[in-house]
Amino acid sequence: MGKPYIIAAIPAYNEERTIARVIIETQKYVDKVIVCDDGSTDLTGEIAKRLGAEVIRHEKNIGYGGALSSLFKRAREINPDAMIVLDADLQHDPNDIPNLVSYILNGEADIVIGSRFLEKEATVPKYRKVGIKIITTLTKSSSYKEISDAQSGFRAYNRKAIHSIMPTEQGMGASTEILLKAKERGLKVIEVPVKINYNVEKPSTQNPIYHGLDVILSTVKHMSIRRPLLFYGVPGIISMLISLFFWVWTLQTFAATRQVITNVALMAVATTIAGLMLLTTAIILWVLVSIVREIR
């Protein structure tokens, strides 16, 4: 066997202050660096190209997931032994690349996640930690129970993972989407500790509240598609049971007094309608998902 071919994939948007250092330090450990310039209005793409990186240019800003999708498509064409994905703002330390990639090359995992929560001295801003924990908890319910950092963008992928997964989310929800798809395809995922640098030169361009909502909604969407009977069916059954309680209450009251308690009757009607809608949605989605899986 020859020397393994390793590429680095870097999504970047207006990172002219840091992209050069990230590329130069990353080139020490990989055979090729690919940068997706996601509609930058500064010199991000030009700097990357001058430093010998291959640059994929988006004419307008699509989002982190859109950049990842372009990088995955290019990786499929190149067909490397391993691909490492890291941020362009120096939050991730390129010196951690050999450690993450080693688990891929040794065949110990299909995807390796660099987790910021496995280091005892990790200093994550409180608002980030809370948001990431919420998102990770949601992701665990439908993917890997042992994951501690579902939002880490510092990851290594082997050839199987590259060809099995294609992100479709355009926003930050792509990180959790990848984990959900990896679980569905039976890929082995492990985590290794990494240190994250939050003292970067350029602050985040995305509102943390918008970021969090984007990821949570994306996660919920993918969970509902993958388990429609559980996601919609169970609440539908609960709603119907609640409606039964209110119907019995309404009928008993009417039998005793010949009067209808309006609020109770309205609750019975509302919960019945909600339950029927949820159960109908669960069945329709389950049938559609089953058809799609059979076609695949």
Side-chain angles (χ1 to χ4, degrees):
M1 294 180 62
K3 179 178 177 293
Y5 191 72
I6 304 169
I7 67 171
I10 306 175
Y13 175 62
N14 289 344
E15 303 287 3
E16 65 179 8
R17 295 185 180 181
T18 55
I19 190 66
R21 183 176 168 187
V22 173
I23 291 174
I24 290 171
E25 293 188 11
T26 299
Q27 286 173 332
K28 301 175 186 176
Y29 308 108
V30 302
D31 300 289
K32 184 181 185 68
V33 174
I34 306 172
V35 174
C36 182
D37 179 6
D38 189 30
S40 298
T41 56
D42 62 8
L43 296 175
T44 297
E46 288 76 2
I47 293 171
K49 195 170 183 179
R50 288 289 185 92
L51 290 172
E54 178 181 333
V55 178
I56 302 170
R57 169 73 180 172
H58 290 171
E59 291 304 316
K60 63 178 182 178
N61 180 247
I62 299 175
Y64 178 75
L68 273 184
S69 179
S70 294
L71 291 166
F72 266 81
K73 287 177 183 176
R74 182 60 182 137
R76 287 184 175 189
E77 295 170 355
I78 297 173
N79 198 32
D81 295 288
M83 173 176 72
I84 185 83
V85 177
L86 69 160
D87 289 350
D89 60 3
L90 284 176
Q91 280 198 26
H92 302 145
D93 185 357
N95 292 314
D96 284 325
I97 291 175
N99 186 35
L100 270 70
V101 171
S102 67
Y103 293 93
I104 294 294
L105 300 181
N106 292 334
E108 297 179 52
D110 299 305
I111 302 174
V112 181
I113 301 172
S115 172
R116 73 201 93 184
F117 299 117
L118 297 181
E119 283 282 356
K120 292 182 180 179
E121 67 271 21
T123 54
V124 182
K126 191 172 182 179
Y127 75 93
R128 282 180 178 264
K129 183 179 289 188
V130 172
I132 293 167
K133 290 295 184 183
I134 292 172
I135 294 165
T136 299
T137 301
L138 276 174
T139 306
K140 281 182 177 182
S141 64
S142 292
S143 64
Y144 301 89
K145 308 299 182 185
E146 67 280 5
I147 293 297
S148 66
D149 193 353
Q151 272 295 285
S152 172
F154 198 8
R155 300 179 180 181
Y157 301 85
N158 67 4
R159 184 175 287 143
K160 180 181 178 182
I162 292 169
H163 288 273
S164 299
I165 298 171
M166 178 54 67
T168 57
E169 288 294 324
Q170 294 192 336
M172 299 301 292
S175 294
T176 51
E177 177 196 0
I178 288 172
L179 292 179
L180 294 172
K181 288 184 173 179
K183 180 67 174 181
E184 191 177 61
R185 288 155 177 75
L187 301 181
K188 183 177 181 181
V189 176
I190 65 171
E191 288 185 314
V192 298
V194 295
K195 292 181 180 178
I196 301 294
N197 175 27
Y198 286 106
N199 298 316
V200 295
E201 293 183 45
K202 185 181 77 64
S204 175
T205 57
Q206 192 173 41
N207 184 293
I209 296 176
Y210 175 82
H211 174 182
L213 288 175
D214 176 44
V215 175
I216 290 172
L217 290 175
S218 170
T219 303
V220 169
K221 180 186 77 173
H222 285 282
M223 287 168 59
S224 69
I225 292 173
R226 280 160 176 75
R227 296 185 178 181
L229 291 179
L230 178 65
F231 194 86
Y232 294 106
V234 172
I237 292 172
I238 293 173
S239 184
M240 293 301 290
L241 291 174
I242 294 172
S243 74
L244 180 63
F245 167 77
F246 284 110
W247 280 121
V248 171
W249 186 357
T250 300
L251 293 173
Q252 286 179 338
T253 303
F254 181 77
T257 66
R258 295 299 172 180
Q259 292 182 343
V260 174
I261 303 176
T262 305
N263 291 340
V264 175
L266 288 174
M267 283 298 297
V269 172
T271 50
T272 299
I273 293 173
L276 289 173
M277 289 178 64
L278 287 166
L279 289 172
T280 303
T281 301
I283 293 170
I284 292 173
L285 268 179
W286 177 72
V287 171
L288 289 175
V289 170
S290 298
I291 291 172
V292 170
R293 284 174 178 167
E294 286 182 13
I295 292 173
R296 285 180 177 178

